[in-house]
Amino acid sequence: MVELISILIIYGVLLGSLTGAAILIWFERRLLGIWQDRLGPNRVGPLGIGLALADVIKLFAKEDWIPPFADRLMFVLAPMAVMIAMLMGFAILPYAPGIHVADLNIGLLFFLGMTSLAVYSVLLGGLSSNNKYALLGGLRAAAQMVSYEVFMGLSLMGVVMLTGSFSLVEIVNYQQEHTWFIIPQFVGFVVFMIAGIAESHRLPFDLPEAEHELVAGFHTEYSGMKFGMFMVGEYLGVILISAIIAVIFFGGWLGPDFLPPIIWFAIKTFIFICFFILLRAAIPRPRYDQLMSFGWKYMLPLTLINLLATGAIVLWLQA
Amino acid sequence: MLEYGLFYIAATVALISSLLAITRYNVSHALIYLIVSLLASAVIFYVLGAPFAAALEVLIYAGAIMVLFVFVIMMLNLGATGDVQAHLLLRPRMWLFPALLCLVLFAEIVYVLLSSERLLSGMVVTPKTVGIALFGPWVLAVEIASMLLLAGLVGAYHLGRRYLKDSREGATSSPEAAP
C-alpha cells in the first residue's frame, strides 16, 4: 500500500512538472502580453490555453535535424541532460507533510548537484554544434553558471546552519517552529534569487542565448523536439527554482488552515514563477562583463558576510 | 543483497566509462565518459553509506571541475586536429609502460579487496559527522588546504592582473581602459 502511494506520488510529480512546464510556455507569453499592455496569444481555446497543446504538437511534428558537421553523440546527449537533471531535482521537494518522493538527508546538496549537472546541456550543446554562435553561447554559459553556482550554494548555508540539516523536510519543520527564513536570512534570499535566475539562464541573465548578439546561442543548430527539450528544461528549471525558494525561504507547505498544505505550496511556487516572468518583462540584459563582475565583486562578498554573521549569531545564541 | 547489486552495477559502469575515457581519440567524448565515471563513483559512495561524499562528488567534481575542463576544451576548440594528435599519442609504445604500472596497482587492489572481510560498512556517515571530523581532529589539514587554495587564488589574480594591464596599455583610447 505504501509502495503504491509512493509510486503514485512519483508519477504525479513527473506528470505535474512536465504539464506545468508545457503550460508555462503559454502562460509566460500571456503574462508578458498583459504586463507589456498587449493581448498575447489568445486565439486557441479559452484564453488561448490550447496554445500549449498546439506548441507541443508542432514540436513533435517538426523535422528533427542533426547537422552533418555536428558531433552526434554530444548533440543528442545535450538536451537530455537538462531534462533529466531538472526532473531529478523535483524528487527531493517536499510538497506537503508526507508527500515527497525522497527525503534525503543531503536534499539541499542533491538539488545543487542537479542544477550544476544541468549546465552540461548548455555546454555540450554549444560545443557539439560546431557553430561559432553556439560555441560562444556555451562558453558564456560555462563561466556564468560556474561563478553563480558558488554563491548559490553558499547563500543557502545560512539556512543550513540555523536548521542544522540539509534535509528539506527538516528545513520546513524548523520554519514551522520558528519563523520563515525570509526574515532571518533575507540577504541569503536575495542572493539565492539572483543566482537562481542566472543558473536557469533566464532573462535578464540569458547571456548564453542572447538573441540580439548570438542568434540563439547554444541552441542555434537545434530544431524539433531537441529544441523543445531545451525549452521544457528551462521552464522546469524555473518551476524548480521557484519551488525551492518557496520551500527554503517561505515555509513550503506552511500556511493558515483554511487551505490544504499542498495548495499553499502551489500558491507560493506560482507567485515566484510569476516573479520570474515579471523580471523578464521589466529588466534589460546586462553586458556580459557586468554580469561577471557583479557576481564576483558584490554577490560573493555579500554571501560571505551573511555566512559570517549567521555563524556568529548562531554561536552567540548557543552560548 | 540489493546494496551489493547496486554497488556492482555502479562499479561496472565506473570501470567501463573510465576505460572508455582513456581510450577515446576525441577529447570531448573522453570527458563525457569521465563525467559518467564520476557519477558512478558518487553512487558507490552513496551505497557505501557516505551520502555527503556522494553529493560533493557530484557537486564539486562532476558539477564544477569537469565544467572547467569542458570550458578549456571549448576555448582551445581543437576539433579534428586534436583527434589527429591523440592518434599520434595513443600508440602502444606510448601507453605500454604506464599500463604495466597500473596493472601492478590493479593487482594490489584486487588482493586488498579479496582479503577484506566486509565490503559494505553498514554505517551511514552523516554530513554532521563529516563536519565534526573535519573541524575536530583534521582541522590542520583543512587549514593547509585553505592556505593552498588562497595561494592559488592570489596567483590567479596576479596572472590576470598582468594581462589586464597589458590590454589597458594596448587600448588607451577606450574610455573603459582608464584605471
Side-chain angles (χ1 to χ4, degrees), chain A residues 191-244:
Chain A
V191 172
F192 182 77
M193 183 92 200
I194 295 173
I197 302 162
E199 192 70 13
S200 58
H201 52 88
R202 292 273 307 167
L203 267 145
F205 294 151
D206 69 336
L207 277 304
E209 48 179 293
E211 68 267 9
H212 64 306
E213 38 187 311
L214 291 184
V215 189
F218 62 91
H219 60 62
T220 306
E221 296 290 348
Y222 280 87
S223 61
M225 203 47 216
K226 289 202 189 69
F227 165 73
M229 278 161 88
F230 272 125
M231 198 154 82
V232 170
E234 186 181 321
Y235 284 112
L236 282 176
V238 170
I239 301 176
L240 183 64
I241 301 268
S242 309
I244 285 279

Side-chain angles (χ1 to χ4, degrees), chain A residues 231-281:
Chain A
M231 198 154 82
V232 170
E234 186 181 321
Y235 284 112
L236 282 176
V238 170
I239 301 176
L240 183 64
I241 301 268
S242 309
I244 285 279
I245 291 175
V247 166
I248 292 178
F249 294 103
F250 288 86
W253 67 70
L254 304 176
D257 274 338
F258 59 88
L259 283 176
I262 194 155
I263 300 289
W264 279 116
F265 174 83
I267 289 174
K268 287 170 188 171
T269 309
F270 179 74
I271 290 172
F272 285 106
I273 292 173
C274 292
F275 186 69
F276 266 85
I277 297 171
L278 177 64
L279 280 178
R280 175 176 173 172

Side-chain angles (χ1 to χ4, degrees), chain A residues 27-89:
Chain A
F27 181 72
E28 173 169 37
R29 292 175 60 187
R30 201 67 219 274
L31 213 58
L32 278 177
I34 292 168
W35 276 324
Q36 292 168 346
D37 213 5
R38 56 191 173 82
L39 284 174
N42 64 345
R43 293 304 158 104
V44 195
L47 292 174
I49 197 164
L51 189 84
L53 195 66
D55 264 345
V56 170
I57 292 172
K58 180 192 78 177
L59 281 173
F60 271 112
K62 263 188 171 178
E63 186 187 359
D64 198 354
W65 159 250
I66 299 177
F69 47 81
D71 189 322
R72 286 186 75 96
L73 170 75
M74 288 196 286
F75 195 82
V76 176
L77 201 66
M80 290 199 279
V82 66
M83 285 277 284
I84 295 172
M86 287 301 175
L87 283 175
M88 293 274 277

Side-chain angles (χ1 to χ4, degrees), chain A residues 71 74 104 112-113 120 135 146, chain B residues 29 32 46 59 62 66-67 77:
Chain A
D71 189 322
M74 288 196 286
L104 298 179
L112 291 171
Y120 280 114
L135 187 72
V146 167
Chain B
H29 288 185
I32 291 180
Y46 195 87
L59 201 60
M66 296 323 276
V67 169
N77 202 15

Side-chain angles (χ1 to χ4, degrees), chain A residues 115-133:
Chain A
T115 50
S116 65
L117 286 186
V119 178
Y120 280 114
S121 72
V122 182
L123 281 183
L124 297 181
L127 184 61
S128 67
S129 297
N130 215 348
N131 172 314
K132 286 192 177 63
Y133 294 116

Side-chain angles (χ1 to χ4, degrees), chain A residues 71 73-74 77 104-106 109-110 112-114 116-117 119-120 122-124 126-127 134-135 138-139 142-143 146 149 164 166 287 289, chain B residues 26 28-29 32-33 35 39 46 51-52 54-56 58-59 61-64 66-68 70-71 73-75 77 124 126-128 176:
Chain A
D71 189 322
L73 170 75
M74 288 196 286
L77 201 66
L104 298 179
N105 61 354
I106 47 155
L109 290 175
F110 185 85
L112 291 171
M114 285 306 128
S116 65
L117 286 186
V119 178
Y120 280 114
V122 182
L123 281 183
L124 297 181
L127 184 61
L135 187 72
L139 271 177
V146 167
E149 227 170 68
F166 284 107
R287 233 174 33 228
D289 58 315
Chain B
N26 187 323
S28 32
H29 288 185
I32 291 180
Y33 286 116
I35 293 162
L39 292 179
Y46 195 87
F52 191 64
L56 288 189
V58 174
L59 201 60
Y61 282 95
M66 296 323 276
V67 169
L68 293 181
V70 178
F71 187 74
I73 286 175
M74 287 169 114
M75 291 278 275
N77 202 15
V124 174
T126 58
K128 207 169 207 159
E176 281 165 35

Side-chain angles (χ1 to χ4, degrees), chain B:
Chain B
M1 205 55 230
L2 182 68
E3 278 89 4
Y4 281 91
L6 286 174
F7 172 81
Y8 282 117
I9 292 168
T12 316
V13 171
L15 280 179
I16 293 174
S17 53
S18 308
L19 269 180
L20 285 170
I22 54 170
T23 52
R24 293 306 90 186
Y25 291 124
N26 187 323
V27 66
S28 32
H29 288 185
L31 263 183
I32 291 180
Y33 286 116
L34 187 53
I35 293 162
V36 173
S37 157
L38 286 170
L39 292 179
S41 37
V43 174
I44 292 175
F45 273 126
Y46 195 87
V47 173
L48 288 177
F52 191 64
L56 288 189
E57 183 90 12
V58 174
L59 201 60
I60 308 286
Y61 282 95
I65 293 178
M66 296 323 276
V67 169
L68 293 181
F69 273 53
V70 178
F71 187 74
V72 171
I73 286 175
M74 287 169 114
M75 291 278 275
L76 298 176
N77 202 15
L78 289 174
T81 39
D83 287 13
V84 175
Q85 279 178 349
H87 270 280
L88 291 176
L89 275 175
L90 280 177
R91 279 176 307 191
R93 206 157 51 89
M94 305 293 267
W95 56 257
L96 212 55
F97 189 59
L100 277 177
L101 289 180
C102 288
L103 206 65
V104 174
L105 285 180
F106 179 71
E108 279 192 356
I109 285 181
V110 167
Y111 175 74
V112 169
L113 285 182
L114 285 181
S115 60
S116 70
E117 294 282 306
R118 253 175 79 82
L119 203 57
L120 299 175
S121 61
M123 187 186 82
V124 174
V125 184
T126 58
K128 207 169 207 159
T129 334
V130 176
I132 290 168
L134 271 184
F135 288 93
W138 300 105
V139 72
L140 190 68
V142 173
E143 288 302 322
I144 290 172
S146 74
M147 262 180 239
L148 189 69
L149 287 176
L150 186 68
L153 197 68
V154 172
Y157 177 72
H158 177 70
L159 291 175
R161 194 169 172 76
R162 204 175 57 195
Y163 168 73
L164 271 182
K165 211 162 76 184
D166 288 351
S167 66
R168 270 198 203 118
E169 281 160 7
T172 38
S173 57
S174 126
E176 281 165 35

